[in-house]
């Protein structure tokens, strides 16, 4: 199944990319990698610290560089929520395997995220969570090969639907 290909997860912070990603990796017998962790390891700082130091565009530049230099085959790759801002990074990820958008409504995300100000979300200071959601949703949809609606679904149900849709490719 998906012989040697990776599966790339995109979506808003709180959509479940890391959580579902680990479960999906186990289900598909693939390794798991989280690009946010790659960024933090490379920079020896949290995402929020990187933004505090150099601003949100600096974080996005680092994210783009990390992704474009990621050559992970046979992995489930959870990306940071802002990965979709870099077309070159998204084109690179698309060469590794299908891109799965874990979609969640604004209401659902609000229930899941309680640390918006300190979470390290790459955004302008004047952007509300609603603004970021509206701006990114269009980009997620543009790059997705598969969209999974996670609203009101258990992690197990999201996993099952994701695997079914991947097998149907």
């Amino acid at each position: 199944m998906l012989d040697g290909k990776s599966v790339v997860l995109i979506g808003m912070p709180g959509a479940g990319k890391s959580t579902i990603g680990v479960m999906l990796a186990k289900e598909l017998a693939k390794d798991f990698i989280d690009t946010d962790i790659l960024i933090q390891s490379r920079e020896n700082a949290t995402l929020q610290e990187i933004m505090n130091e150099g601003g949100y565009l600096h974080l996005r530049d680092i994210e783009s560089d990390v992704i474009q230099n990621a050559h992970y085959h046979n992995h489930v790759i959870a990306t940071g929520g802002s990965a979709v801002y870099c077309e070159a990074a998204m084109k690179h990820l698309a060469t590794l395997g299908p891109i799965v958008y874990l979609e969640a409504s604004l209401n659902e995300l609000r229930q899941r995220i309680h640390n918006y100000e300190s979470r390290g979300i790459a955004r302008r200071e004047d952007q509300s969570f609603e603004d970021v959601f509206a701006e990114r949703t269009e980009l997620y949809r543009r790059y997705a090969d598969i969209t999974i609606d996670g609203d009101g679904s258990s992690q197990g149900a999201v996993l099952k639907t994701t695997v079914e849709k991947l097998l149907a490719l």
Side-chain angles (χ1 to χ4, degrees):
M1 164 187 349
L2 298 165
D3 254 0
K5 288 188 177 181
S6 290
V7 175
V8 179
L9 302 179
I10 62 173
M12 284 290 289
K17 298 179 301 289
S18 296
T19 303
I20 298 299
V22 169
M23 296 167 66
L24 188 61
K26 286 181 181 180
E27 184 75 19
L28 300 177
K30 295 183 179 294
D31 287 325
F32 174 78
I33 195 78
D34 185 319
T35 62
D36 282 348
I37 294 171
L38 291 176
I39 292 166
Q40 291 180 159
S41 294
R42 183 182 114 170
E43 298 298 310
N44 198 28
T46 66
L47 301 178
Q48 189 61 52
E49 289 168 345
I50 294 167
M51 280 200 320
N52 291 347
E53 183 75 20
Y56 77 98
L57 291 177
H58 178 61
L59 174 59
R60 285 188 191 167
D61 287 343
I62 293 168
E63 179 176 47
S64 174
D65 184 56
V66 164
I67 290 172
Q68 289 181 74
N69 287 294
H71 302 284
Y72 294 97
H73 300 280
N74 205 37
H75 278 68
V76 173
I77 303 168
T79 63
S82 58
V84 292
Y85 287 111
C86 179
E87 185 174 355
M90 293 306 300
K91 283 183 178 180
H92 172 68
L93 288 170
T95 68
L96 300 177
I99 297 175
V100 178
Y101 170 31
L102 295 181
E103 187 175 45
S105 69
L106 187 56
N107 201 30
E108 182 88 14
L109 293 169
R110 276 202 185 123
Q111 293 173 21
R112 296 180 189 178
I113 294 184
H114 305 288
N115 59 342
Y116 177 69
E117 293 302 322
S118 63
R119 188 170 171 132
I121 298 172
R123 63 180 176 84
R124 294 187 322 269
E125 280 190 38
D126 66 335
Q127 275 187 308
S128 68
F129 192 67
E130 294 80 5
D131 294 337
V132 172
F133 178 84
E135 183 175 86
R136 291 183 183 181
T137 296
E138 178 184 328
L139 295 170
Y140 296 136
R141 289 180 178 153
R142 177 186 312 162
Y143 291 113
D145 296 308
I146 296 171
T147 298
I148 306 294
D149 182 0
D151 272 14
S153 296
S154 69
Q155 293 172 347
V158 170
L159 175 65
K160 182 177 185 286
T161 303
T162 304
V163 170
E164 287 170 356
K165 287 193 175 189
L166 285 167
L167 289 174
L169 283 179

